[in-house]
Every structure is written in C-alpha cells, then in structure tokens.
Amino acid sequence: MNAERDTAGAVDVPEGDLIRSAFSGLQSFAERIQKLDTAVDAIADAGGDTARAATRKLKRQIRSFEPSVTMIGQVKAGKTTLVNALAGWPGLLPADINPWTSVVTSLHLDPATRTGSGKAKFRFFDEEEWARLLNRGGRVGELAARAGAHKELEKVRRQLEEMREKSRQRLGRKFEMLMGQEHEYGYVDEELVQRYVCLGDDAGDQGGASQQQGRFADITKSADLYLGQPDLPHRLCIRDTPGVNDTFMIREQITVNAIRESRLCVVVLSAHQTLSTVDMALIRLISNIRSREVIIFVNRIDELNDPVRETEEIRKSIVSTLDALNGPTDAEIIFGSAYWAVHALAQTYKDLGKASSKALIDWAEHRLNSGEVPGTVQETIWKISGIPALCAAISSRIDSGEGAEFEERIVRSARNVATSIEASRQVTAKRIDGDAVAPVAPADIGRELDAIAARSLGLLDAEMGKLISGLDSRLAGARRSFLGRATASLIRHLEDFGDHEIWQYDPAGLRLLLSSAYRVFSAKAVNTSEKIFATTADEIRTLYIRAFQISEDTAAIEAPVVQNPPPPVILGSTIALDVKGNWWTSWWRRRRSYQMFAEEYSALIDAEIEPFLVSLRADHAETFSLATRQILTEFIDAQRAHLLELANQTEIGVDKLRQRAEAAATDRRNTLNDTVVFLSELKPRSEWRAAE
C-alpha cells in the first residue's frame, strides 16, 4: 500500500449526515452564538445611532468568528487524508504531496455557504524569504555556516541549486515576478489545488495539461480554500501543515507560525511509527503548547496486523516517550484510520483491500464488544474510524476554550451597549417627567474620558514595560546559566576524552528555563491587564453615575476580556545542539586549545539562543502588550461614544426628547428588556480561563 493513500477519490457532494453527527458537539455553541446574534440585533433596534454603530461591529465579529485547529505530524502519517475526512470531502487535497512542498493549506469551512461552492487564495514566498533560502541555505545552511560544517553547507547548496533550476524550468521568467504575489480564484477543484500544492514530475517529462500539476508548488507559501459545508454547526478552519523535518527547516518555521495562529493542535502519528527521539522536533513543538490544547491522533491503524493488541502498546509507548522527553503526558490520545473514514464517506468498501478489511473487522468486533452501538455499514465504519471521536474532542475544546472566550467577549460588549441604552432612557425619562437633570457639556465628558484614558493606558504601558523588562532579565539569566553549564560540560568532556569523541549536550534545560520565564510573564501580564481593565471600567461606571445621576444598577459597565498571550512554540525550533552528527569533531580540531573551544562554542550557542530571546520579546511579549493596549483603547472609545451621546441628551430641548421617546415603540422597549434579561443570564464562563 502507498504510504499516503486517498484512493476513495473525490465526491461531488460530501456525506452530510456523517459530518453533522461527528461535529454535533459544536451544536450547542452554535445555538448560543445564534441567540447572541439575535440579541445584538434587538439591541440595535432599540438604540440610537451610537448603539447601532457598536452593534454593527459586534455583528461583524460574530459572523467572522472562525475557530481553528492546526494539524501537525510525522511524515507519511496520513495527515492530509485525515484533513480530507474531517472536511467530509475525500480527495479534496492531494495526499501524495512531494516532500519538497512547504505549503500551509487552510480549509475555511462555512455552513452558510452552499455545498460545492468555494474560492481559493494562494500566496507565494516573498523575495526576502526566497533569498534567505537560496543565499543562506535556510535554517540548516545558517547552522552549518555558523558551525563551519562546510560539507553539510555544500550539500545544502547543491540541493538548493537543483530546486531553483526545477522552479525555473516550470515558471521561466515568471519565477522572480511571482515573488510576494497572490493568486485568487472563484472556485476550488482538485486540479487547482494540485497546481499550487502538489509537485508533479519534471516539466520536461510530460506534455499537455499534465504539466500544470505542481506548477507553482515550489514557491507557494500558503493556500486558503473557502468551502461550503452546510452540515457543520459552525464555521471552522482546519490547517494542514507541511511538517517539521524538511531539509532546510523552512517547513518547521512555517508550522511554528501556523500553530501560533490556532488555539488547538492535532498531532497526527502513524501507527507504524510510534513517537520516538526521531520526532524530537515534533515533541519540542507540542511541549510548548498547553496539554488541553493538544490532541494526539494515531492514524493508519488499518495497517496493523492486530489493532486491538497493538494500539494499547502504542498508547503506552507514546505516554512513556512524552513523559521522558517533557511532552504533554495528559494530552488525549485517539486511535483511528482516515483511510477507513474516506471510504465510509465515499461508500467504496470494495476498495479497502484484504489486509485493511481484516483489521477493520477485528477493530469493529472489539469496539462492538466494548459497547459501541452498530448502525448501517457506513455509520459503523465511520464511527470506528476514530474521526467522530476526534471531531468530538475538537468540538469540546472549542466550546470550552476559544469559543467560550469569544462568547464572553461578545456578551460583555453587548451588555455594555444595552447599559448605555438604558442609561439614555433614564436620563430622557427624568427630563420628560420634569426632574432636574443638570446639563453636561460634551467637552467636559471628553476631558474626563481623556484623563481616564491617560491614566489607564499610561499605567498599562508602565506595567507592561516592567513585565517585559523582567522577562528580559529572566531570559538573560537563563541564557547565562545554560551557557555556563554547557561550557563547563564541554571542557570536562575535552579534558576526559579529548576531541576524538563526539560531545553532546541536551538543550532541553535551556528550553525549560526560557519557557518558564515566558510563562511567568504571561501569567503576570494577564493578571495585571485584568486589574487595569477592571479599574478602568469602574472609573467609567462612576462617571456615568456622577455625571448623569443614573442608578448604580443601570451603570453596570463591564471590563473587556483579556486575551491569552500566544504559546511560546518558537522554543520548539531546531538549534545547533539539536543537530546530531560528527561535524562537531571537525569543528573542534580547528581550534588550538580547550579554552578556545569553549569560548568559540559559547559564542556559537549564544548566537543560536539569540533568535529565541528576540522572538519571545518581540513576537510574544510585545505583541501581547500592543494587543492588550488596543483592546483597552477600543473599550474606552466605545464608552466615549455612549457618554457623549448621553451628554447631548442633557442639552437638547424637552420637546425634542419627548418626540424621540414616543418614536421608540413599546414593543422595542419590551424586546430590549427581554434581551437584557437574556444577556444577564449569560454569566462569565470561567472554563476557558481555567483551561489555560
């Protein structure tokens, strides 16, 4: 059998019932979001222009929210076939992707779009990225050049020249012109995907239309496919990554970036290749993601001789390996076969093959004896393929994680808009009833809000600055500590064994120190931001009450939600100490003394550590700080709009106010009251924060 098989072929219409049942765990979340969307509409109808502007923004956020899951895994683990099965679309993505390809393919599945429709966007590497690869050999070339491993560097350069020549044969003069460009299409089909994602044979070996396969695959960086999937309860993005162990480590960095963009990661392993030290790059990546955000799917159990017995052995091996290598030992492990799943979707059971059919029967008997409820042949094969279990796990993580965080963010914002409308009604009612309401100049309100903004944003900037400075200190301390221990270990090795034995030093301790430093920053940054957000909301609430004499219950302003800092997946990237081989020996022999070995080695490793420190500060800590500042700024600006509208109501004539009040129909007021009650019942869902 081929290592990556998807022989079921594409189908015109995905099997809806199977996908609908598999992702049924998302149904309750989708229903809550739909009710929230309706509530936002009711608020918009009941409010004025300012409220409608605020709710339009919330509507855009609701309708664009797309939780995502990133698939990473071993080469030839059947990852692409698994993605096709999850999408309910066998054969959509080519499963025979050449190892040269470095494309992240994102499937944006939308239940609001009809089946069979779609569009596609393909992005190419820009000139800087391509030049870095060609001129410096990618990450491997940089490591080799830094360490003086000339043979390894020359090998990389030969491979790159071959790659460049093939690209030029395919694209001709368009090669340079396409750098940094995008291609967009108003449709999606297999031929289109293969043209950008899957490398074919050499251009000179084929004629006619077949030359189109893989035409742009050398330079394609990402593929976004927007597909209709009406049987999903809610839109979902599934990212298929190229892996982490390519020759130049391009794919490793691309995968790192893809993981950072998702809150959930599915690690796909092959049942024939249990997790081992060979997969250290993979283990390093998932070690820097919270266990709850990692699901392990062991694929291709259809190829096991005795799946019932062997799966338990594989489970123990995975847990043992992760435990020994500081991986997420409590991540959920699911066994299955994407091969069975795509055949269930396409109902092509005769194509399973003898060995796969035997494994299927053995596994089915085991599952039935364990209490699995049988259904039709299609339903039974689908269930025991493991895909429904994986979909259920994904749904559960979204519902209590990324989805719950988003839901709480929208609920708080909607309640704040409703609060502003009720405050406006109180002010209007008082003036119509003849109660004394002192005029409030909008300029005065603006100045008070400016003062609140200056205090809050200034404090946030100052506190984040301190925390980032503290992170810098801890990272520098981790760097010094590791370099000191590693250099001392190298000198001892040279004194005991000379330079004829290969010396190795595990950088796991370095990663642990850097990860610990970043997680301390993350926890403090979130806690500090929440406190400043809460204080800001209290000050604005006080301003409502003092300036407009409204009741304390009405002015129930809620602080915005603090988002989580991105996980430090950069720490999973390969550094020189991870690269095993005898090139260290030749490096040592070019030095004149052990002390020089140690000094130059320390400088080499220090240069390797530097990108980690830069990324943890710039791409993680500073990015979080800027995002948090933006959230607080938008919150204050939204409240400014509501307060200025209230101030205007204190200055306009009573007759005009009365006309406005009469224009607001009674049924709209009742609808808003019902909506406020509904929103008040949506208490903050602490599960997502606790899960972090």
Side-chain angles (χ1 to χ4, degrees), residues 150-226:
H150 300 294
K151 289 184 179 180
E152 284 76 7
L153 184 57
E154 184 57 34
K155 179 181 177 182
V156 168
R157 284 174 176 162
R158 285 197 305 269
Q159 292 172 323
L160 282 167
E161 285 300 323
E162 178 184 349
M163 181 179 180
R164 176 163 52 181
E165 182 57 31
K166 287 186 176 181
S167 296
R168 290 189 183 280
Q169 288 178 10
R170 285 192 175 92
L171 301 172
R173 287 180 297 177
K174 292 182 178 180
F175 181 76
E176 282 81 8
M177 294 173 57
L178 289 168
M179 294 292 101
Q181 300 299 310
E182 294 182 356
H183 283 180
E184 295 188 33
Y185 297 87
Y187 69 95
V188 177
D189 61 23
E190 291 180 62
E191 186 277 329
L192 178 65
V193 174
Q194 289 180 3
R195 197 188 314 166
Y196 287 86
V197 176
C198 182
L199 282 178
D201 297 328
D202 290 346
D205 295 340
Q206 297 182 1
S210 59
Q211 291 188 24
Q212 293 299 314
Q213 178 169 323
R215 177 172 175 76
F216 302 103
D218 285 332
I219 61 172
T220 303
K221 179 179 180 180
S222 65
D224 288 273
L225 309 180
Y226 301 86

XYZ file of all heavy atoms in Angstrom, residues 150-226:
632
model
N 31.441 22.682 6.570
C 31.477 23.006 5.145
C 30.857 21.919 4.277
O 30.214 22.221 3.264
C 32.918 23.273 4.720
C 33.551 24.418 5.448
N 33.123 25.723 5.301
C 34.548 24.445 6.379
C 33.845 26.515 6.080
N 34.719 25.765 6.746
N 31.035 20.666 4.635
C 30.455 19.591 3.832
C 28.929 19.660 3.856
O 28.269 19.516 2.827
C 30.933 18.234 4.345
C 32.405 17.946 4.054
C 32.783 16.548 4.515
C 34.240 16.247 4.196
N 34.630 14.880 4.644
N 28.374 19.869 5.049
C 26.930 19.977 5.160
C 26.410 21.186 4.386
O 25.377 21.128 3.718
C 26.509 20.083 6.633
C 26.560 18.779 7.407
C 27.980 18.364 7.774
O 28.914 19.166 7.547
O 28.151 17.246 8.270
N 27.164 22.304 4.456
C 26.741 23.514 3.767
C 26.769 23.324 2.258
O 25.865 23.757 1.544
C 27.639 24.687 4.173
C 27.267 26.067 3.608
C 25.847 26.435 3.986
C 28.250 27.119 4.118
N 27.785 22.653 1.753
C 27.879 22.411 0.323
C 26.761 21.494 -0.157
O 26.203 21.687 -1.249
C 29.242 21.797 -0.015
C 29.490 21.584 -1.493
C 29.369 22.883 -2.285
O 29.738 23.951 -1.750
O 28.889 22.814 -3.435
N 26.420 20.512 0.658
C 25.317 19.607 0.310
C 24.007 20.379 0.202
O 23.214 20.182 -0.731
C 25.196 18.519 1.377
C 24.067 17.529 1.128
C 24.008 16.499 2.244
C 22.835 15.542 2.034
N 22.755 14.554 3.154
N 23.771 21.283 1.166
C 22.563 22.099 1.142
C 22.526 22.955 -0.117
O 21.496 23.082 -0.787
C 22.489 22.992 2.404
C 21.411 24.050 2.258
C 22.217 22.135 3.636
N 23.662 23.540 -0.470
C 23.702 24.417 -1.638
C 23.417 23.651 -2.930
O 22.749 24.165 -3.830
C 25.063 25.098 -1.714
C 25.206 26.237 -0.701
C 26.598 26.802 -0.674
N 26.674 27.943 0.243
C 27.811 28.414 0.736
N 28.960 27.845 0.423
N 27.795 29.440 1.552
N 23.930 22.426 -3.030
C 23.656 21.621 -4.223
C 22.162 21.323 -4.344
O 21.580 21.390 -5.434
C 24.451 20.317 -4.175
C 25.938 20.480 -4.471
C 26.562 19.143 -4.820
N 26.346 18.146 -3.791
C 27.180 17.925 -2.768
N 28.283 18.672 -2.649
N 26.921 16.995 -1.874
N 21.554 20.987 -3.216
C 20.122 20.693 -3.236
C 19.311 21.930 -3.619
O 18.321 21.848 -4.354
C 19.673 20.176 -1.868
C 20.229 18.802 -1.530
C 19.914 18.407 -0.098
O 19.916 19.232 0.802
N 19.647 17.124 0.119
N 19.742 23.089 -3.142
C 19.032 24.322 -3.461
C 19.168 24.686 -4.939
O 18.218 25.170 -5.555
C 19.565 25.463 -2.591
C 19.042 25.471 -1.155
C 19.860 26.424 -0.303
C 17.583 25.865 -1.125
N 20.344 24.464 -5.496
C 20.528 24.738 -6.917
C 19.614 23.854 -7.757
O 19.032 24.295 -8.750
C 22.001 24.508 -7.305
C 22.938 25.603 -6.840
C 22.565 26.958 -7.414
O 22.133 27.024 -8.584
O 22.679 27.954 -6.688
N 19.489 22.601 -7.352
C 18.596 21.686 -8.059
C 17.141 22.173 -7.947
O 16.386 22.165 -8.929
C 18.726 20.278 -7.479
C 17.799 19.265 -8.120
C 17.887 17.906 -7.438
O 18.806 17.703 -6.610
O 17.033 17.053 -7.726
N 16.771 22.602 -6.748
C 15.416 23.093 -6.525
C 15.146 24.349 -7.358
O 14.090 24.497 -7.983
C 15.240 23.397 -5.030
C 13.870 23.902 -4.624
S 13.834 24.193 -2.836
C 12.151 24.766 -2.639
N 16.124 25.267 -7.389
C 15.953 26.501 -8.144
C 15.847 26.226 -9.641
O 15.019 26.831 -10.331
C 17.115 27.449 -7.870
C 17.043 28.721 -8.696
C 17.927 29.813 -8.157
N 19.295 29.383 -7.959
C 20.250 30.162 -7.465
N 19.965 31.383 -7.096
N 21.475 29.717 -7.316
N 16.648 25.310 -10.139
C 16.625 25.008 -11.562
C 15.285 24.407 -11.982
O 14.728 24.756 -13.034
C 17.767 24.057 -11.915
C 17.879 23.713 -13.393
C 18.035 24.948 -14.272
O 18.631 25.954 -13.807
O 17.547 24.914 -15.409
N 14.747 23.520 -11.154
C 13.443 22.931 -11.470
C 12.346 24.000 -11.449
O 11.419 23.965 -12.259
C 13.120 21.813 -10.485
C 13.930 20.545 -10.713
C 13.465 19.426 -9.803
C 14.231 18.132 -10.104
N 13.776 17.011 -9.248
N 12.453 24.933 -10.500
C 11.463 26.006 -10.433
C 11.520 26.873 -11.686
O 10.487 27.264 -12.242
C 11.702 26.876 -9.197
O 11.522 26.129 -8.016
N 12.726 27.169 -12.144
C 12.863 27.989 -13.346
C 12.335 27.261 -14.579
O 11.786 27.885 -15.491
C 14.328 28.380 -13.546
C 14.830 29.367 -12.512
C 16.201 29.889 -12.873
N 16.709 30.769 -11.843
C 16.368 32.042 -11.707
N 15.499 32.572 -12.536
N 16.885 32.782 -10.750
N 12.534 25.945 -14.638
C 12.014 25.176 -15.763
C 10.488 25.245 -15.792
O 9.882 25.315 -16.861
C 12.477 23.718 -15.665
C 13.953 23.511 -15.969
C 14.363 22.064 -15.808
O 13.518 21.176 -15.648
N 15.662 21.808 -15.852
N 9.883 25.210 -14.631
C 8.420 25.261 -14.574
C 7.882 26.647 -14.906
O 6.870 26.795 -15.576
C 7.923 24.860 -13.187
C 7.993 23.372 -12.898
C 7.210 23.074 -11.627
N 7.154 21.646 -11.391
C 8.033 20.970 -10.649
N 9.018 21.617 -10.082
N 7.912 19.669 -10.481
N 8.535 27.686 -14.363
C 7.952 29.021 -14.394
C 8.632 29.979 -15.363
O 8.071 31.032 -15.675
C 7.987 29.627 -12.987
C 7.230 28.826 -11.921
C 7.499 29.410 -10.540
C 5.739 28.806 -12.211
N 9.841 29.652 -15.801
C 10.538 30.525 -16.733
C 10.772 31.902 -16.140
O 11.114 32.061 -14.969
N 10.544 32.929 -16.945
C 10.817 34.300 -16.495
C 9.844 34.779 -15.428
O 10.067 35.797 -14.771
C 10.760 35.242 -17.702
C 11.963 35.092 -18.628
C 11.861 36.054 -19.801
N 10.701 35.775 -20.639
C 10.350 36.520 -21.694
N 11.063 37.578 -22.011
N 9.284 36.207 -22.419
N 8.725 34.053 -15.250
C 7.751 34.439 -14.228
C 8.259 34.164 -12.808
O 7.666 34.613 -11.838
C 6.441 33.682 -14.433
C 5.688 34.077 -15.694
C 4.371 33.308 -15.765
C 3.574 33.700 -16.987
N 2.291 32.946 -17.064
N 9.349 33.390 -12.724
C 9.843 32.953 -11.416
C 10.012 34.138 -10.458
O 9.436 34.155 -9.372
C 11.175 32.218 -11.607
C 11.785 31.695 -10.346
C 11.282 30.558 -9.736
C 12.862 32.329 -9.756
C 11.843 30.061 -8.572
C 13.429 31.851 -8.597
C 12.921 30.711 -8.002
N 10.805 35.153 -10.852
C 11.047 36.295 -9.971
C 9.809 37.191 -9.864
O 9.536 37.764 -8.816
C 12.234 37.120 -10.473
C 13.597 36.526 -10.167
C 13.989 35.442 -11.164
O 13.256 35.267 -12.174
O 15.016 34.770 -10.944
N 9.043 37.293 -10.936
C 7.883 38.184 -10.944
C 6.804 37.753 -9.959
O 6.052 38.580 -9.441
C 7.280 38.236 -12.352
C 8.188 38.876 -13.386
S 7.499 38.727 -15.056
C 5.908 39.522 -14.827
N 6.746 36.454 -9.678
C 5.684 35.936 -8.818
C 5.974 36.107 -7.327
O 5.074 35.953 -6.498
C 5.447 34.448 -9.111
C 4.780 34.143 -10.459
C 4.861 32.657 -10.764
C 3.334 34.600 -10.438
N 7.230 36.420 -6.974
C 7.584 36.530 -5.566
C 6.722 37.550 -4.848
O 6.570 38.694 -5.298
C 9.055 36.931 -5.426
C 10.064 35.891 -5.908
S 10.087 34.405 -4.880
C 9.128 33.311 -5.890
N 6.131 37.137 -3.726
C 5.317 38.030 -2.911
C 3.922 38.288 -3.444
O 3.181 39.083 -2.861
N 3.540 37.612 -4.530
C 2.238 37.844 -5.135
C 1.177 36.885 -4.586
O 1.484 35.962 -3.830
C 2.341 37.678 -6.660
C 3.325 38.631 -7.320
C 2.950 40.085 -7.117
O 1.803 40.487 -7.351
N 3.911 40.894 -6.672
N -0.068 37.109 -5.002
C -1.191 36.239 -4.648
C -1.977 35.891 -5.910
O -2.073 36.711 -6.829
C -2.146 36.928 -3.655
C -1.555 37.201 -2.294
C -2.576 37.843 -1.356
O -3.702 38.127 -1.831
O -2.265 38.048 -0.179
N -2.517 34.683 -5.937
C -3.443 34.280 -6.991
C -4.779 33.940 -6.340
O -4.819 33.178 -5.369
C -2.913 33.060 -7.759
C -1.825 33.394 -8.734
N -1.203 32.443 -9.531
C -1.244 34.584 -9.055
C -0.297 33.034 -10.295
N -0.289 34.317 -10.014
N -5.858 34.481 -6.856
C -7.183 34.215 -6.306
C -8.095 33.629 -7.383
O -7.994 33.989 -8.557
C -7.812 35.507 -5.760
C -7.068 36.089 -4.563
C -7.815 37.240 -3.920
O -9.065 37.203 -3.938
O -7.165 38.164 -3.415
N -8.989 32.723 -6.958
C -9.920 32.066 -7.866
C -11.302 32.019 -7.221
O -11.419 31.916 -5.993
C -9.459 30.638 -8.187
C -8.128 30.575 -8.909
C -6.935 30.555 -8.188
C -8.065 30.545 -10.298
C -5.710 30.514 -8.840
C -6.848 30.490 -10.961
C -5.674 30.481 -10.233
O -4.462 30.441 -10.881
N -12.314 32.060 -8.040
C -13.687 31.990 -7.544
C -14.240 30.587 -7.513
O -15.460 30.401 -7.504
N -13.373 29.609 -7.498
C -13.790 28.211 -7.432
C -12.673 27.393 -6.797
O -11.541 27.879 -6.615
C -14.088 27.668 -8.839
C -12.847 27.517 -9.704
C -12.165 26.301 -9.797
C -12.350 28.602 -10.424
C -11.024 26.177 -10.570
C -11.211 28.487 -11.206
C -10.550 27.264 -11.274
O -9.414 27.139 -12.036
N -12.979 26.145 -6.454
C -11.992 25.208 -5.914
C -12.225 23.851 -6.557
O -13.370 23.376 -6.593
C -12.104 25.055 -4.375
C -11.103 24.021 -3.873
C -11.874 26.387 -3.677
N -11.173 23.239 -7.080
C -11.252 21.851 -7.511
C -9.879 21.208 -7.321
O -8.898 21.876 -6.978
C -11.750 21.715 -8.962
C -10.834 22.405 -9.982
O -9.640 22.608 -9.675
O -11.310 22.724 -11.079
N -9.809 19.899 -7.548
C -8.567 19.167 -7.289
C -7.427 19.642 -8.182
O -6.276 19.770 -7.734
C -8.796 17.672 -7.488
C -9.683 17.049 -6.430
C -9.876 15.570 -6.685
O -8.883 14.830 -6.670
O -11.028 15.172 -6.930
N -7.728 19.909 -9.445
C -6.678 20.332 -10.369
C -6.060 21.648 -9.917
O -4.839 21.837 -9.969
C -7.274 20.464 -11.779
C -6.237 20.770 -12.868
C -5.899 22.248 -12.972
O -6.786 23.080 -12.693
O -4.731 22.563 -13.284
N -6.905 22.569 -9.444
C -6.411 23.857 -8.973
C -5.504 23.675 -7.760
O -4.414 24.257 -7.686
C -7.595 24.759 -8.615
C -7.244 26.147 -8.062
C -6.527 26.980 -9.117
C -8.502 26.858 -7.570
N -5.935 22.861 -6.807
C -5.138 22.627 -5.603
C -3.809 21.991 -5.962
O -2.744 22.378 -5.468
C -5.923 21.749 -4.601
C -5.036 21.390 -3.413
C -7.177 22.462 -4.125
N -3.830 21.003 -6.848
C -2.597 20.313 -7.224
C -1.625 21.252 -7.934
O -0.414 21.103 -7.821
C -2.924 19.119 -8.106
C -3.601 17.982 -7.357
C -3.927 16.809 -8.247
O -3.602 16.811 -9.424
N -4.582 15.802 -7.679
N -2.144 22.225 -8.646
C -1.278 23.154 -9.362
C -0.417 23.975 -8.398
O 0.717 24.350 -8.706
C -2.124 24.093 -10.215
C -1.339 24.823 -11.304
C -2.190 25.876 -11.994
N -3.517 25.379 -12.354
C -4.519 26.171 -12.710
N -4.347 27.488 -12.728
N -5.692 25.676 -13.028
N -0.956 24.254 -7.201
C -0.251 25.123 -6.262
C 0.362 24.384 -5.072
O 1.237 24.922 -4.405
C -1.210 26.190 -5.733
C -1.530 27.241 -6.755
C -2.554 27.056 -7.676
C -0.796 28.420 -6.817
C -2.854 28.014 -8.631
C -1.092 29.392 -7.767
C -2.113 29.178 -8.674
O -2.393 30.122 -9.615
N -0.118 23.179 -4.800
C 0.293 22.500 -3.572
C 1.133 21.264 -3.831
O 2.068 20.968 -3.096
C -0.949 22.119 -2.727
C -0.541 21.321 -1.503
C -1.702 23.366 -2.308
N 0.830 20.515 -4.884
C 1.451 19.203 -5.085
C 2.429 19.231 -6.240
O 2.050 19.539 -7.374
C 0.370 18.151 -5.353
S 1.024 16.488 -5.561
N 3.687 18.910 -5.983
C 4.693 18.872 -7.034
C 4.507 17.654 -7.927
O 4.350 16.536 -7.436
C 6.095 18.832 -6.428
C 6.639 20.155 -5.912
C 8.013 19.936 -5.299
C 6.739 21.175 -7.014
N 4.557 17.869 -9.226
C 4.471 16.760 -10.170
C 5.843 16.339 -10.644
O 6.862 16.631 -10.018
N 5.910 15.655 -11.784
C 7.185 15.259 -12.359
C 7.858 16.476 -12.973
O 7.299 17.558 -13.061
C 6.973 14.187 -13.438
C 6.370 12.918 -12.835
O 6.683 12.640 -11.661
O 5.594 12.246 -13.534
N 9.111 16.268 -13.439
C 9.818 17.361 -14.101
C 9.023 17.839 -15.304
O 8.399 17.057 -16.017
C 11.199 16.904 -14.558
C 12.117 16.678 -13.365
O 11.760 17.131 -12.264
O 13.173 16.049 -13.544
N 9.082 19.148 -15.563
C 8.270 19.726 -16.630
C 8.587 19.115 -17.984
O 7.723 18.992 -18.843
C 8.486 21.239 -16.683
N 9.838 18.704 -18.188
C 10.210 18.172 -19.480
C 9.759 16.756 -19.701
O 9.851 16.238 -20.823
N 9.267 16.088 -18.683
C 8.891 14.688 -18.802
C 7.459 14.504 -19.244
O 7.035 13.410 -19.556
C 9.090 13.970 -17.458
C 10.556 13.943 -17.069
O 11.393 14.107 -17.967
O 10.833 13.768 -15.863
N 6.672 15.577 -19.205
C 5.269 15.442 -19.523
C 4.869 16.530 -20.514
O 5.521 17.550 -20.651
C 4.393 15.571 -18.264
C 4.663 14.482 -17.244
C 3.744 14.619 -16.041
O 2.917 15.497 -15.986
N 3.887 13.717 -15.114
N 3.801 16.326 -21.213
C 3.317 17.320 -22.158
C 1.877 17.635 -21.884
O 1.212 16.975 -21.112
N 1.384 18.675 -22.551
C -0.024 18.986 -22.435
C -0.391 19.531 -21.078
O 0.414 20.078 -20.338
N -1.643 19.307 -20.720
C -2.191 19.884 -19.482
C -1.563 19.297 -18.240
O -1.583 19.902 -17.187
C -3.704 19.671 -19.459
N -0.978 18.090 -18.339
C -0.412 17.447 -17.154
C 0.745 18.249 -16.576
O 1.116 18.086 -15.419
C 0.054 16.029 -17.486
O 1.025 16.063 -18.516
N 1.365 19.124 -17.404
C 2.453 19.950 -16.887
C 1.970 20.921 -15.810
O 2.767 21.460 -15.065
C 3.088 20.751 -18.030
C 3.864 19.901 -19.024
C 4.628 20.767 -20.010
O 4.936 21.909 -19.725
N 4.922 20.225 -21.168
N 0.677 21.173 -15.748
C 0.151 22.126 -14.789
C 0.277 21.627 -13.359
O 0.301 22.424 -12.422
C -1.316 22.422 -15.109
C -1.517 23.163 -16.429
C -0.829 24.513 -16.436
O -0.941 25.269 -15.483
N -0.114 24.801 -17.508
N 0.345 20.313 -13.150
C 0.429 19.807 -11.781
C 1.711 20.294 -11.119
O 2.806 20.100 -11.625
C 0.413 18.277 -11.756
C 0.543 17.722 -10.331
C 0.254 16.241 -10.262
O -0.616 15.755 -10.955
N 0.997 15.534 -9.431
N 1.546 20.916 -9.976
C 2.699 21.391 -9.229
C 3.408 22.577 -9.841
O 4.528 22.890 -9.454
N 2.772 23.250 -10.761
C 3.449 24.338 -11.476
C 3.992 25.406 -10.527
O 5.102 25.900 -10.693
C 2.491 24.969 -12.484
C 3.062 26.165 -13.237
C 2.127 26.595 -14.354
N 2.578 27.806 -15.015
C 3.571 27.872 -15.895
N 4.236 26.763 -16.204
N 3.909 29.018 -16.445
N 3.217 25.771 -9.510
C 3.629 26.844 -8.600
C 4.039 26.318 -7.214
O 4.279 27.116 -6.313
C 2.487 27.846 -8.427
C 2.018 28.462 -9.709
C 0.846 28.039 -10.308
C 2.756 29.451 -10.324
C 0.407 28.600 -11.495
C 2.330 30.023 -11.516
C 1.154 29.591 -12.111
N 4.107 24.995 -7.055
C 4.265 24.430 -5.709
C 5.587 24.803 -5.049
O 5.663 24.913 -3.827
C 4.129 22.906 -5.764
N 6.649 25.010 -5.836
C 7.938 25.366 -5.245
C 7.884 26.678 -4.471
O 8.581 26.844 -3.482
C 9.002 25.506 -6.341
C 9.462 24.156 -6.880
O 9.402 23.186 -6.121
O 9.864 24.098 -8.050
N 7.091 27.625 -4.967
C 7.118 28.971 -4.386
C 5.852 29.300 -3.606
O 5.724 30.406 -3.084
C 7.343 30.035 -5.477
C 6.208 30.017 -6.497
C 8.693 29.843 -6.148
C 6.267 31.174 -7.478
N 4.903 28.360 -3.531
C 3.672 28.621 -2.783
C 3.934 28.503 -1.289
O 4.443 27.492 -0.821
C 2.561 27.645 -3.188
O 2.339 27.732 -4.591
C 1.262 27.982 -2.471
N 3.563 29.534 -0.548
C 3.760 29.539 0.902
C 2.500 29.103 1.641
O 2.577 28.382 2.629
C 4.171 30.937 1.362
C 4.387 31.054 2.861
C 4.815 32.459 3.239
C 5.047 32.595 4.735
N 5.469 33.960 5.110
N 1.336 29.548 1.162
C 0.092 29.192 1.849
C -1.048 29.110 0.846
O -1.056 29.799 -0.179
C -0.255 30.212 2.935
O -0.530 31.477 2.370
N -1.994 28.247 1.160
C -3.191 28.080 0.343
C -4.403 28.194 1.256
O -4.491 27.477 2.260
C -3.173 26.726 -0.359
N -5.323 29.090 0.920
C -6.560 29.250 1.677
C -7.724 28.856 0.783
O -7.966 29.505 -0.242
C -6.720 30.696 2.153
C -5.755 31.045 3.263
O -6.101 30.798 4.432
O -4.654 31.551 2.961
N -8.430 27.804 1.176
C -9.569 27.316 0.407
C -10.842 27.582 1.204
O -10.968 27.125 2.349
C -9.416 25.811 0.136
C -8.078 25.356 -0.466
C -8.088 23.855 -0.676
C -7.787 26.092 -1.763
N -11.774 28.319 0.620
C -13.020 28.685 1.281
C -14.132 27.818 0.700
O -14.476 27.938 -0.477
C -13.302 30.171 1.079
C -12.207 31.059 1.625
C -11.094 31.380 0.846
C -12.273 31.559 2.921
C -10.073 32.174 1.350
C -11.260 32.361 3.432
C -10.165 32.658 2.637
O -9.155 33.451 3.151
